[in-house]
Amino acid sequence: MAKSSDRTTAYAKLIAGGKRICGNAEYLACKRHLDNMANKDFPYVFDVKEAEKHIDIANTLTIGEGVGSKRLTMRGFQNFIIGSLFGWRKKRSKLKRFREAYVQMGRQNGKSFLAGEMCNDVATFSGYQLGRIFCTATKQDQANIVWDEVDKFIESDPDLKGLYKIRKYDRTITSLVTGTIIKAIGRDTKSADGFRSVLAVVDEYHAHPTNQMYKLMQDGQLAVDNALTFAITTAGFNLNGPCYEHYRFCKQVLQGNVQKDSLFVYIAELDEEDDIWDSRNWAKANPLQLWQDDEHLDPTMVARMAEKAIDAKEKQGEELLNFLTKSLNRWVTYTGGAFVDAARWRDCGKDITLQAMKGRKCYLGIDLSSGGDLTSIALVFPPLKQEEPAYVWSHSYIPELRLAEHERTDDVPYGYWVSKGLLTPTSGIYGIKTDYRHIVAELADMIEKYQLQVIGCGYDRHNIDTLLADLENILPCDLTDIAQSARSLNDTTVDFQLSVKAGTVAYDKENALLTWSMVNAIISQPNSFGEIKIDKMTQKQRIDPCDAVLDAWKLYFTDGKKDVDGNANLDLFLEEMGLEGGEED
């Protein structure tokens, strides 16, 4: 691409003109830039001179890593990102347009470098005095990566080094020009709370279990002119996390379905219909790594990517999962057989709470923990009209003194779910084991409060013996032992999958704990009769709410009928004896 006096727009025209391989998201980002420039009524203007100034600043940096130092030469997509962030401003004002930026691309494409360049630029060359810049992540080590990029730029250039004071022991860089401080902080660091920042880099946003850090950064910038929250990430596995939610929102902005002029979006990814084994498609998610320049692919790097593709295709499992998310920048769950399609499940989320089900008939499902894990109950409400979906409600319980332990080991926000009313800590039995009597009492109160007509209760027999008498006292219906075997649950599992796919299931979209469980669930290997049930990929990925839903769904699916021929219980017995499907292994 020939050098232009407006490198930001030149790259946008290159993409929009079809002269470079790209995904639809990158095309829409560039088209958005061009459309905004052509719109005379748009409240913002693109200041070419300002954009070029900051692109020039980036191109003065020195890369010290590797064999010998060398002056940085920016690629077109990097010019586009930096030029857009600094060049767009409000008309007749110095106020910048963008206060948020979301950049997502494959691994090893310079995301941390971009963030490091932004830190250097804002700290010393933006004119903002005595500011704070935070490099944030879920863990301190990850937060240090962006900080290290800034440090490497400074240490590699004697002229730049004279503009900063660096303290490595507490990860603090101070600009001697403006007094602005660049600091790395992890999620558990409290030093960011209450402080204002002019720039906040949220690194590898896909790894954040909640949006707490992102919102903390935004809230601290509310009164700061020209502040920016800059999220950089690859795709991840957690389709129940804040990053995936934000990613979907950003795609809506690019598609023009939502207008948010203060949000900059750049996503380099494959399109849904793309063949993942076609090497030309890999370039869409890797705007730096696989390119010689802005118009020509690098055959050496494409060949190296092909080696990774061979491993992914042949080994499947974790290798394929990692290739899809990190190399191809695709959001995916377990590729060996997810229970429900995560996007379809999210589409089933509605603004419906239990209050709306007052007086309705329902089936109850119960999945008890072995003592210190999650215990879940679920309700399935049959539709009143044929065109309505069946409504699914779920709630879970955990021993009070095990909450912090599980939040640490499972790396999910149990405390946050407690605050949202999705999870209840029980304090009985010294807070170590789940207090089942508390659950029964709460269930009885709920039935009375909402005048629920429980017409069937399905339960997993494990650990329920001491609870059955209490349940019989509060429930006016039969209690059905749901054998947790493939033979017993196959038809139920398949029916629920198809119902989600068809959109005939509804749930409260705010129930993040239920969604986390649904996304965690995978399909087990079929038994000798081809029958399936759900399982979890790791011990951390709990599926108890999902199990409870299926216990209730089986009664709904079979219209409350019990297994009468004993086959399911025989199948379970054989499984426990080391046999399966009535045949020896």
Side-chain angles (χ1 to χ4, degrees), residues 283-513:
K284 296 180 179 182
N286 296 276
L288 174 67
Q289 189 180 41
L290 300 186
W291 293 83
Q292 285 182 337
D293 52 43
D294 286 332
E295 297 185 48
H296 302 93
L297 291 173
D298 185 334
T300 300
M301 295 306 298
V302 171
R304 290 179 184 176
M305 182 74 77
E307 294 295 322
K308 296 176 67 176
I310 291 171
D311 284 344
K313 193 171 186 178
E314 295 302 319
K315 296 178 181 178
Q316 296 287 307
E318 290 291 334
E319 288 282 351
L320 178 57
L321 192 65
N322 192 65
F323 181 69
L324 288 170
T325 54
K326 301 312 173 190
S327 296
L328 302 189
N329 196 29
R330 271 194 167 176
W331 288 90
V332 294
T333 54
Y334 177 64
T335 56
F339 170 45
V340 294
D341 180 270
R344 294 279 191 179
W345 171 255
R346 282 188 168 274
D347 290 340
C348 293
K350 309 296 179 185
D351 290 314
I352 305 174
T353 64
L354 189 58
Q355 177 67 39
M357 299 293 116
K358 190 172 183 178
R360 295 270 295 270
K361 294 180 179 179
C362 61
Y363 294 99
L364 170 66
I366 301 176
D367 184 81
L368 300 183
S369 69
S370 58
D373 297 329
L374 288 185
T375 287
S376 299
I377 61 174
L379 297 173
V380 172
F381 293 84
L384 296 178
K385 301 177 182 179
Q386 188 173 2
E387 63 271 17
E388 287 182 355
Y391 179 70
V392 173
W393 177 89
S394 169
H395 191 81
S396 296
Y397 301 84
I398 194 170
E400 187 175 48
L401 296 184
R402 303 291 297 277
L403 180 66
E405 171 195 340
H406 280 297
E407 187 158 23
R408 183 179 65 256
T409 58
D410 297 358
D411 198 26
V412 289
Y414 288 122
Y416 177 76
W417 290 336
V418 169
S419 71
K420 290 296 183 179
L422 306 174
L423 178 66
T424 298
T426 63
S427 56
I429 318 182
Y430 306 104
I432 299 296
K433 295 181 66 178
T434 302
D435 185 354
Y436 295 147
R437 293 187 182 276
H438 174 96
I439 297 174
V440 171
E442 195 168 277
L443 181 59
D445 290 342
M446 182 178 65
I447 292 172
E448 181 180 0
K449 178 180 178 181
Y450 295 108
Q451 301 170 23
L452 302 179
Q453 302 177 51
V454 182
I455 55 177
C457 173
Y459 63 87
D460 174 0
R461 68 173 61 166
H462 294 291
N463 307 304
I464 204 168
D465 290 345
T466 59
L467 191 61
L468 284 176
D470 292 330
L471 287 172
E472 288 174 343
N473 286 335
I474 68 167
L475 297 176
C477 61
D478 289 335
L479 276 60
T480 304
D481 177 0
I482 306 294
Q484 302 297 301
S485 66
R487 177 170 295 184
S488 170
L489 290 171
N490 176 76
D491 292 348
T492 302
T493 302
V494 173
D495 184 72
F496 189 84
Q497 285 181 305
L498 293 175
S499 297
V500 170
K501 188 174 182 179
T504 56
V505 175
Y507 69 96
D508 183 354
K509 68 180 183 180
E510 299 300 322
N511 195 337
L513 175 52

Side-chain angles (χ1 to χ4, degrees), residues 42 67 87 134 149 182-183 198 277 322 329 357 473 544 552:
F42 197 56
V67 181
F134 291 132
E149 289 291 335
I182 305 171
K183 188 167 182 61
V198 64
W277 309 117
N322 192 65
N329 196 29
M357 299 293 116
N473 286 335
D544 308 82

Side-chain angles (χ1 to χ4, degrees), residues 13-66:
K13 289 181 177 179
L14 180 78
I15 291 293
K19 297 179 180 178
R20 174 181 161 104
I21 300 169
C22 72
N24 188 55
E26 184 178 13
Y27 168 81
L28 291 175
C30 292
K31 186 175 184 298
R32 182 190 187 201
H33 173 83
L34 297 174
D35 288 348
N36 290 165
M37 288 185 69
N39 184 0
K40 294 181 179 180
D41 297 326
F42 197 56
Y44 300 93
V45 63
F46 183 65
D47 188 331
V48 176
K49 184 177 179 181
E50 187 70 8
E52 286 296 303
K53 168 189 168 183
H54 290 279
I55 292 173
D56 283 339
I57 289 171
N59 277 282
T60 62
L61 295 175
T62 300
I63 300 295
E65 186 176 343

Side-chain angles (χ1 to χ4, degrees), residues 223-278:
V224 181
D225 290 345
N226 294 330
L228 178 69
T229 301
F230 189 17
I232 56 174
T233 190
T234 56
F237 316 130
N238 185 8
L239 277 71
N240 190 36
C243 187
Y244 183 68
E245 189 72 34
H246 192 50
Y247 160 80
R248 284 164 56 92
F249 178 79
C250 289
K251 293 288 285 287
Q252 291 291 311
V253 171
L254 289 180
Q255 291 161 6
N257 299 327
V258 175
Q259 183 173 350
K260 188 172 184 180
D261 294 333
S262 62
L263 171 63
F264 173 80
V265 180
Y266 177 86
I267 299 173
E269 64 178 2
L270 276 70
D271 298 313
E272 286 188 14
E273 68 277 8
D274 284 339
D275 180 359
I276 65 171
W277 309 117
D278 185 340

Side-chain angles (χ1 to χ4, degrees), residues 20-292:
R20 174 181 161 104
I21 300 169
C22 72
N24 188 55
E26 184 178 13
Y27 168 81
L28 291 175
C30 292
K31 186 175 184 298
R32 182 190 187 201
H33 173 83
L34 297 174
D35 288 348
N36 290 165
M37 288 185 69
N39 184 0
K40 294 181 179 180
D41 297 326
F42 197 56
Y44 300 93
V45 63
F46 183 65
D47 188 331
V48 176
K49 184 177 179 181
E50 187 70 8
E52 286 296 303
K53 168 189 168 183
H54 290 279
I55 292 173
D56 283 339
I57 289 171
N59 277 282
T60 62
L61 295 175
T62 300
I63 300 295
E65 186 176 343
V67 181
S69 299
K70 57 183 178 181
R71 181 60 57 88
L72 174 68
T73 301
M74 297 274 285
R75 295 288 182 84
F77 81 97
Q78 295 167 323
N79 292 334
F80 176 74
I81 294 171
I82 291 173
S84 295
L85 293 176
F86 285 106
W88 279 102
R89 61 173 172 79
K90 197 170 184 179
K91 286 181 176 177
R92 295 174 292 279
S93 172
K94 292 184 178 179
L95 290 177
K96 294 284 191 291
R97 168 186 174 180
F98 295 117
R99 294 185 65 86
E100 286 182 84
Y102 181 81
V103 173
Q104 180 185 310
M105 62 186 89
R107 181 185 286 168
Q108 299 298 317
N109 281 280
K111 296 184 303 298
S112 297
F113 150 73
L114 271 173
E117 190 285 326
M118 290 288 295
C119 290
N120 168 66
D121 196 327
V122 172
T124 297
F125 302 100
S126 69
Y128 193 91
Q129 302 292 314
L130 303 176
R132 286 184 175 85
I133 294 173
F134 291 132
C135 306
T136 76
T138 57
K139 299 187 182 344
Q140 186 66 44
D141 287 348
Q142 183 65 42
N144 292 344
I145 292 176
V146 172
W147 190 94
D148 288 340
E149 289 291 335
V150 186
D151 180 46
K152 285 190 288 186
F153 287 145
I154 295 170
E155 294 288 357
S156 301
D157 188 336
D159 294 332
L160 199 61
K161 194 171 184 179
L163 304 179
Y164 290 99
K165 178 182 178 181
I166 301 174
R167 292 200 318 232
K168 295 183 185 291
Y169 68 88
D170 67 349
R171 298 283 176 170
T172 301
I173 298 173
T174 304
S175 170
L176 300 178
V177 177
T178 66
T180 294
I181 294 172
I182 305 171
K183 188 167 182 61
I185 58 173
R187 184 182 66 187
D188 55 348
T189 305
K190 297 180 180 179
S191 59
D193 200 1
F195 287 116
R196 299 187 301 178
S197 68
V198 64
L199 174 65
V201 177
V202 182
D203 195 19
E204 293 298 2
Y205 192 25
H206 77 271
H208 290 234
T210 73
N211 65 356
Q212 181 181 9
M213 181 63 82
Y214 192 94
K215 290 301 181 185
L216 185 65
M217 294 295 103
Q218 277 194 309
D219 291 346
Q221 295 178 338
L222 193 62
V224 181
D225 290 345
N226 294 330
L228 178 69
T229 301
F230 189 17
I232 56 174
T233 190
T234 56
F237 316 130
N238 185 8
L239 277 71
N240 190 36
C243 187
Y244 183 68
E245 189 72 34
H246 192 50
Y247 160 80
R248 284 164 56 92
F249 178 79
C250 289
K251 293 288 285 287
Q252 291 291 311
V253 171
L254 289 180
Q255 291 161 6
N257 299 327
V258 175
Q259 183 173 350
K260 188 172 184 180
D261 294 333
S262 62
L263 171 63
F264 173 80
V265 180
Y266 177 86
I267 299 173
E269 64 178 2
L270 276 70
D271 298 313
E272 286 188 14
E273 68 277 8
D274 284 339
D275 180 359
I276 65 171
W277 309 117
D278 185 340
S279 60
R280 285 181 61 82
N281 289 331
W282 303 340
K284 296 180 179 182
N286 296 276
L288 174 67
Q289 189 180 41
L290 300 186
W291 293 83
Q292 285 182 337

